[in-house]
Amino acid sequence: MELPGQQLLAANAYTPLDHVLNLDIKSPAGCQRLTGIIATIGKSSNDIETMEKMMAAGMNVALLNLTFGTKEEHIETIKMLRQAAKNYSVVVGKNYPLAIAARLVGRKIRTGNISDTNEGPVELISGETVRLTTDTLYKDRCSSSTVFVDFINFAEQLKKGDIVLLDNETIQLKVEIISNTTLTCRIERGGFLGSNKDVFVPNVVLKTPNYSEKDKTYIDMAVHHQLDILIASFVNSVDSIIELKNMLGEKGKRIAVIANIQTTEGYRNYDEILEVANGIMITRQELGSDISPDKLVIAQKNMIARANKANVPVCLSAHLLSSMRYNKIPLRAELLDIANCILDGADALALSAETAVGICPVDTIACMANACKESEACVWTKQTPVPCEQSTAIAMAAVLASHRTMAPVIIVLTTMGKSAFEVAKYRPRCPIIAITRHVITARQMHLYRGIIPLIYEATSDVDWQIYLEQRISFSTKWAMQRGFVRVGDPIVLVCGWKQGSQFINTMRIVYATTDVGVS
């Protein structure tokens, strides 16, 4: 029996060409989205009601960009997010595991504020010159002739002929004259410059500290308020990740550390970074500037593939639905870009200004969720078994069984999530319900493609087999209520023969019954 959105004829093709030839535009989207959605919170989404609507639309991870706002404002946002998650949990009838992430400033360099004498952004005109200075007298007095840059050693680390990009590459400058604190630059591509815009120097590795004093304050905040995810910006080597994990200490050891790759240097050291990071974020804006936009497609595909092979979750950010910052309808090219990210193997996609300051954050998330579901059905999932460890064999067997039986779901009973992560690596076409008692584990599972985390809060039975059946019944009931498991449907179970995370060694197939259980 064909299930909605399965594209089974294409899925069972034996060659990539036959797979594409058998894709059917009449096939409906899948019932459940498999790709995680990370949404940045800003002035457009910084109220409890909007946050609840964003969760209903598909937000799995709420992201705080620590570059903007004060510590007190971010703490208030964290409180609102937790209240919104609590309210939404009541609506859906279960504890909704919204993850809260924060992006550290790190090596990010920014301009100062435009002078109050100007009514808005100032125009930098092509062909003219502008001074970039580290003199703090200009921090709040930026103009069309002088722009403050907040890295004290900026001038001494650049040379004549270097390119400087401002405001997401909108404005391009070329260094002509260098003094102790000032760079005099020719404006090669002009534009309007506002306050606190990003500064990027392609093909130059600036010697800056991995984390500023402001970052250290925010790291303490993340530990104190028990955030789930920290994103380290401009990670060029494993040193950045190791330093951050050391700063988190024993109290923050459960926080997932994500490496944000934005430079050629980070790409060069990518394999080493994969070994120590809990996840990867690829920010295509800066990375594309550093390695050139023409090479970005190669870098994206290569980095996603390497992360997939290492079973490290990878997400993409920048320019996903940029047009929806100002419009309620996306560009067709943006929808195709989302599809290509998913076909490449991305676990999650991150929205930035679209949900932080855009006109329709809820609609933007809903648009991305729908685009993801349509794209996921187009993934070719033929697997070739190879000699492997016990846990890998169980995971591959579960995925293969789900394909052969057309199971609508795989249920994984897990403690710290490792078994669910292993199953997710082999990209089943159906969702993976991962049931755990650990709330932070559930929240961090959103980073992995295909996993729907469920938190089991009922009292555990002393008899392991009875406790096992209770959790299976809980998961099955929830899936049937959501409408993607029906009576008689096969369900693939991955569990252990006794209590403990090291005992996951069992895969079996059961069938959903009328009494909301399995047989």
Side-chain angles (χ1 to χ4, degrees):
M1 179 171 55
E2 181 155 352
L3 300 172
Q6 291 287 308
Q7 293 276 9
L8 291 178
L9 199 59
N12 292 321
Y14 282 93
T15 68
L17 179 61
D18 286 336
H19 164 70
V20 175
L21 289 172
N22 283 294
L23 292 173
D24 182 6
I25 62 170
K26 296 179 181 178
S27 178
C31 295
Q32 290 293 310
R33 173 174 47 86
L34 307 179
T35 306
I37 295 179
I38 303 169
T40 305
I41 304 299
K43 64 181 182 181
S44 293
S45 48
N46 204 25
D47 65 87
I48 292 176
E49 184 180 353
T50 302
M51 291 170 180
E52 290 179 43
K53 291 179 180 177
M54 291 167 73
M55 282 183 270
M59 176 175 69
N60 305 115
V61 181
L63 175 61
L64 308 179
N65 188 343
L66 301 179
T67 301
F68 305 103
T70 65
K71 179 181 176 182
E72 291 70 28
E73 289 171 340
H74 290 305
I75 291 172
E76 185 60 30
T77 300
I78 292 167
K79 292 177 180 177
M80 285 194 290
L81 283 167
R82 293 213 162 117
Q83 183 59 52
K86 188 179 294 185
N87 295 349
Y88 185 63
S89 295
V90 174
V91 173
V92 297
K94 74 177 183 74
N95 188 340
Y96 184 74
L98 175 73
I100 302 178
R103 192 200 310 245
L104 297 169
V105 179
R107 299 170 182 265
K108 193 79 165 180
I109 301 172
R110 290 194 174 269
T111 64
N113 297 310
I114 301 300
S115 172
D116 291 338
T117 58
N118 296 284
E119 294 182 358
V122 295
E123 184 177 10
L124 304 187
I125 301 173
S126 299
E128 296 188 358
T129 60
V130 63
R131 297 189 310 146
L132 300 181
T133 181
T134 57
D135 187 341
T136 54
L137 289 174
Y138 293 91
K139 185 175 182 180
D140 297 307
R141 295 170 55 193
C142 295
S143 65
S144 58
S145 60
T146 305
V147 176
F148 172 77
V149 176
D150 66 359
F151 174 42
I152 190 66
N153 300 319
F154 190 67
E156 63 188 57
Q157 294 195 27
L158 269 67
K159 62 182 185 297
K160 184 178 179 180
D162 281 341
I163 298 297
V164 180
L165 303 172
L166 306 180
D167 191 11
N168 286 331
E169 208 176 331
T170 304
I171 298 170
Q172 180 174 309
L173 312 176
K174 187 174 183 179
V175 177
E176 292 190 333
I177 302 173
I178 302 174
S179 67
N180 289 336
T181 61
T182 304
L183 300 171
T184 301
C185 304
R186 176 181 174 82
I187 304 170
E188 295 205 328
R189 182 171 61 243
F192 288 90
L193 181 68
S195 298
N196 199 31
K197 298 301 181 182
D198 63 281
V199 180
F200 186 71
V201 185
N203 303 309
V204 175
V205 180
L206 297 173
K207 296 178 182 178
T208 61
N210 289 328
Y211 304 101
S212 64
E213 291 304 315
K214 182 180 179 181
D215 282 327
K216 292 174 183 177
T217 301
Y218 280 131
I219 291 167
D220 290 339
M221 180 195 78
V223 173
H224 181 73
H225 290 276
Q226 299 180 325
L227 298 193
D228 306 292
I229 301 163
L230 264 184
I231 300 171
S233 297
F234 288 94
V235 173
N236 289 337
S237 68
V238 294
D239 295 341
S240 298
I241 302 301
I242 293 171
E243 183 180 348
L244 178 53
K245 288 190 173 185
N246 288 337
M247 285 191 284
L248 288 170
E250 186 66 23
K251 292 182 179 178
K253 68 178 182 179
R254 293 294 306 278
I255 297 175
V257 174
I258 306 300
N260 196 351
I261 308 299
Q262 297 162 270
T263 63
T264 305
E265 190 71 11
Y267 178 82
R268 189 176 295 119
N269 297 315
Y270 189 63
D271 287 334
E272 291 81 4
I273 293 168
L274 281 172
E275 292 178 3
V276 297
N278 300 115
I280 297 292
M281 175 177 281
I282 302 171
T283 299
R284 304 184 298 179
Q285 175 62 47
E286 288 88 356
L287 184 60
S289 299
D290 211 32
I291 65 173
S292 86
D294 295 339
K295 296 293 185 183
L296 182 59
V297 61
I298 297 174
Q300 173 175 309
K301 290 178 178 293
N302 177 266
M303 293 170 75
I304 291 175
R306 284 194 275 171
N308 289 166
K309 184 178 179 182
N311 202 22
V312 175
V314 56
C315 68
L316 294 174
S317 78
H319 296 169
L320 287 166
L321 285 173
S322 299
S323 67
M324 292 193 75
R325 179 175 176 177
Y326 307 103
N327 302 290
K328 290 191 174 183
I329 300 176
L331 297 175
R332 302 299 184 263
E334 291 172 333
L335 298 178
L336 289 170
D337 179 39
I338 289 172
N340 279 317
C341 291
I342 290 169
L343 293 173
D344 285 347
D347 292 274
L349 302 174
L351 295 164
S352 353
E354 302 96 326
T355 54
V357 294
I359 63 169
C360 50
V362 177
D363 290 341
T364 302
I365 293 171
C367 174
M368 174 167 278
N370 289 332
C372 287
K373 287 197 291 185
E374 292 287 0
S375 306
E376 287 155 3
C378 300
V379 176
W380 190 43
T381 51
K382 280 286 183 184
Q383 303 291 343
T384 304
V386 294
C388 56
E389 296 179 357
Q390 173 182 289
S391 60
T392 303
I394 292 295
M396 294 183 74
V399 173
L400 181 60
S402 72
H403 290 169
R404 294 289 174 86
T405 63
M406 291 189 285
V409 70
I410 299 172
I411 295 177
V412 181
L413 278 57
T414 182
T415 303
M416 305 306 292
K418 291 182 180 179
S419 301
F421 302 158
E422 190 78 46
V423 174
K425 179 179 182 179
Y426 297 100
R427 297 292 193 259
R429 302 186 68 77
C430 63
I432 304 159
I433 294 180
I435 182 164
T436 178
R437 300 191 74 90
H438 297 270
V439 177
I440 191 168
T441 297
R443 292 170 180 163
Q444 292 172 350
M445 283 178 183
H446 288 305
L447 293 171
Y448 284 83
R449 171 126 149 229
I451 297 180
I452 301 175
L454 284 186
I455 302 169
Y456 188 72
E457 298 176 297
T459 304
S460 59
D461 196 285
V462 292
D463 186 299
W464 172 247
Q465 291 302 319
I466 293 176
Y467 180 40
L468 199 67
E469 293 300 325
Q470 287 173 341
R471 289 183 293 166
I472 294 170
S473 180
F474 173 78
S475 304
T476 307
K477 180 179 179 181
W478 180 83
M480 293 180 76
Q481 289 173 341
R482 292 292 296 268
F484 64 93
V485 170
R486 300 161 296 186
V487 173
D489 279 346
I491 296 172
V492 178
L493 297 178
V494 176
C495 57
W497 66 278
K498 63 184 292 187
Q499 192 165 8
S501 58
Q502 67 270 39
F503 300 113
I504 299 292
N505 66 349
T506 304
M507 185 280 291
R508 58 192 174 108
I509 299 171
V510 297
Y511 293 87
T513 59
T514 53
D515 59 351
V516 198
V518 292
S519 63

